[in-house]
Amino acid sequence: MALTVDQAVPGPDDRPATAAAPPVPGRTGRSGRGRRLLETALLVVLAVVMLFPVLWMLETSIKENRDVYAVPAQFIGFDVTLDHYRDVFVARGGEGRSDLSTAFVNSVVVAGLSTLLATLLGVPAAWAYSRFGLRAKKDQLFFILSTRFMPPVVVVIPIFLMYRELGLIDTELGLILIYAAFNVPFTIWMMKGFVDEVPAEYEDAAMLDGYTRLQAFWKVTLPLLVPGIAATAVFALIFSWNEFVFAIFLTSSQEVRTAPPAIAGLIGGTTVDWGLVAASAVVFAAPVLLFAWLVRKHLVAGVTLGAVRR
Amino acid sequence: MTTTTSSPVRAAAAAPPAPGRRRRLSDRGLAVAFISPALLLLLTMSVFPLLWSLWLSFTDYSATRDTPASFVGFANYADVLTSSQVHQRALTTLLYVVGAVALQTVLGFTIAYLISRRTRGRGLLTTLFLVPMMLSPVVVGLFWRFMLDTQFGVVNSLLGSVGLGQVEWLTRQRTALLSLIVVDTWQWTPFIMLIALAGLTAVPRYLYEAASIDRASEWFRFRSITLPLVWPLLLIAVMFRAIEAFRLFDLVYILTNGGPGVSTETLSFHVYKVAFLGFDTGLASAYGILMVLVVIALAQLYLRYLEKLKEG
């Protein structure tokens, strides 16, 4: 099946290829226009419903506390404040960094390094799987994918015990390793798709020119894979950034904890500062939305582990 | 061929010239060198823990006691499989998975279909609809916990303004599971929409043109062209979602914490309780192994359809 993601998710400047398609003859007239109107209205309603929670969170994050808890809810005409955003970064009382900002830094470190590790291990493996006929290749690839499908809450039990033995509990290294292991299957599957698209003949030609296989990979194929690697890495980054289960069971201290458990920790007490929750959620989500926009052309491949491409 | 010496002629014929041989060997070496680090990481971080879990599942080990584990055979498995608690959690999980996946499939496909029929604003609309999917389950769970709050939640506020009463979304047994389904649907409808849209866009236009020459009705075109062509892809999306929903943990943890009572306690959440609140590690491991088996079976199905799609 011919399936290009670019068609499904066009960029801002792309004109849909079907825009100039002639109207279907025969079935026009008033019923057609009414139908069109109905479809548009339905789409608008659905879009509003889907986007409302996000807008509501944004709005809550800039409201004074009394407006946050107002009954009935205040949609317009509230005083705008950036206090909640200040509280995300600055400790209460005005001095020093907040725990949340430490958690954000940890998230950057853990997500960044685990993505780097997954890319370094996954890309060469994907190339090897794409280029060579290996024994039981399909079984190997299925095995790799199946590790990704494990329920995290199940895997976390033995990982927890293992980390306790190794002293990796409550360390950033522990999280980096498990996230890398979590992302390697994805990286291999998605990158294999990208490598498959680079003709093997390029490498053969390079080898006829006297390059070794390794040089051919390094000098010819790898440069062509850079956009694919970037897209894959961004997805791995998003997964690690958003991950919660391992983060909450394998870390406990403020200094090591990543942002998802830290944000979840805000609702522990009897009263919840929803303004702060909203602001930190917005701050936390912003990079992900930016990243997702960067890889929008690869979204279908990315969300299906690269398994569905074209 | 058993030995090379017994048939020297064939061996000689099969042996490649020396330079070629070295190249082939180095190819193999390269493949091993490139693949083994990744496999090693997976073996240490996934397979080894899972094997450990498998071993623990046959013992009465508890992570909080210092006593060594003693072998209990299949007792843990028997406990899990016959426990009425587990049956109830399985039913909850089934309700949740079927409810959420069905709802998001219908909604996601509808949105994709509506978008695919538009000529303008498709890119913008698609991008907007995709936002929920990109958010962390923690953020999504918190969003909704706030919105569904009985006293000052915006949902009840809206219901109140149209004259409907207050609903205790997260604190009533029946509505809590419904809330979970709604939130999961909110987050993952975009996923189905994205896959369906990719499928819909790939339907060749000439099929519709041929159909319109035949004056086929809108419904006929949908049923006999659109649906059959999008169906395989949609099925993959559904299966993928079913696997993900089956192992869902974080959203339950944030949104309802399994409650009220045990009304939103899915299998994943129950494993967590057995393992980390009851510290019955052996039993939790048996439980986990059984869940992994289910997931692997589902994943097999997923891959089988994928192969079919790639061939077709």
Side-chain angles (χ1 to χ4, degrees), chain B:
Chain B
M1 197 192 303
T2 48
T3 59
T4 42
T5 45
S6 65
S7 55
V9 180
R10 281 186 69 190
R21 177 183 214 132
R22 192 178 302 141
R23 208 186 93 197
R24 251 215 331 232
L25 276 177
S26 83
D27 272 5
R28 200 175 150 65
L30 199 58
V32 171
F34 271 18
I35 289 173
S36 47
L39 281 185
L40 202 67
L41 182 73
L42 287 180
L43 289 173
T44 356
M45 303 301 287
S46 292
V47 179
F48 174 68
L50 216 60
L51 288 177
W52 192 346
S53 212
L54 185 66
W55 176 71
L56 286 178
S57 71
F58 294 109
T59 69
D60 63 355
Y61 180 71
S62 166
T64 44
R65 273 186 286 126
D66 268 340
T67 50
S70 61
F71 190 76
V72 294
F74 280 92
N76 286 328
Y77 287 92
D79 277 359
V80 172
L81 289 172
T82 55
S83 150
S84 64
Q85 277 193 339
V86 173
H87 294 165
Q88 200 201 333
R89 305 315 185 264
L91 187 68
T92 307
T93 309
L94 190 72
L95 273 177
Y96 155 71
V97 172
V98 172
V101 175
L103 208 58
Q104 51 205 242
T105 304
V106 171
L107 261 177
F109 185 78
T110 308
I111 296 174
Y113 184 69
L114 290 177
I115 289 183
S116 76
R117 289 175 58 84
R118 290 186 63 84
T119 45
R120 283 167 47 186
R122 286 166 50 152
L124 180 70
L125 273 170
T126 314
T127 313
L128 283 180
F129 272 113
L130 285 175
V131 169
M133 190 174 92
M134 292 300 151
L135 302 173
S136 166
V138 173
V139 167
V140 171
L142 289 173
F143 267 22
W144 281 91
R145 223 176 119 151
F146 175 54
M147 298 206 320
L148 293 174
D149 191 280
T150 312
Q151 282 171 23
F152 51 83
V154 67
V155 173
N156 271 350
S157 204
L158 286 173
L159 284 180
S161 66
V162 292
L164 293 165
Q166 308 281 293
V167 179
E168 292 180 37
W169 292 104
L170 299 172
T171 44
R172 280 282 165 84
Q173 303 242 347
R174 268 202 211 148
T175 49
L177 188 60
L178 182 70
S179 303
L180 188 65
I181 291 175
V182 166
V183 176
D184 193 74
T185 301
W186 179 77
Q187 184 166 26
W188 293 110
T189 293
F191 176 79
I192 304 268
M193 180 207 79
L194 185 67
I195 310 289
L197 196 53
L200 284 168
T201 328
V203 176
R205 281 204 69 78
Y206 66 84
L207 287 179
Y208 291 121
E209 278 152 17
S212 70
I213 289 169
D214 291 344
R215 303 232 153 201
S217 72
E218 194 92 42
W219 168 243
F220 180 84
R221 271 185 281 167
F222 176 77
R223 208 195 51 196
S224 54
I225 300 174
T226 312
L227 211 51
L229 281 171
V230 180
W231 185 244
L233 210 54
L234 201 61
L235 199 62
I236 284 179
V238 167
M239 213 128 61
F240 196 93
R241 277 304 307 140
I243 295 173
E244 293 264 299
F246 177 74
R247 56 192 204 124
L248 169 99
F249 172 80
D250 24 26
L251 192 61
V252 183
Y253 185 90
I254 299 283
L255 197 66
T256 63
N257 208 12
V262 292
S263 55
T264 53
E265 212 174 291
T266 56
L267 288 170
S268 267
F269 198 80
H270 193 53
V271 181
Y272 147 74
K273 274 176 111 174
V274 174
F276 288 95
L277 301 180
F279 280 102
D280 206 337
T281 316
L283 186 66
S285 299
Y287 204 145
I289 295 291
L290 289 170
M291 281 190 68
V292 167
L293 290 179
V294 174
V295 170
I296 286 184
L298 277 170
Q300 276 281 9
L301 276 176
Y302 171 81
L303 281 184
R304 197 159 300 167
Y305 270 97
L306 210 62
E307 297 269 304
K308 236 190 227 171
L309 184 76
K310 277 189 174 162
E311 283 161 17

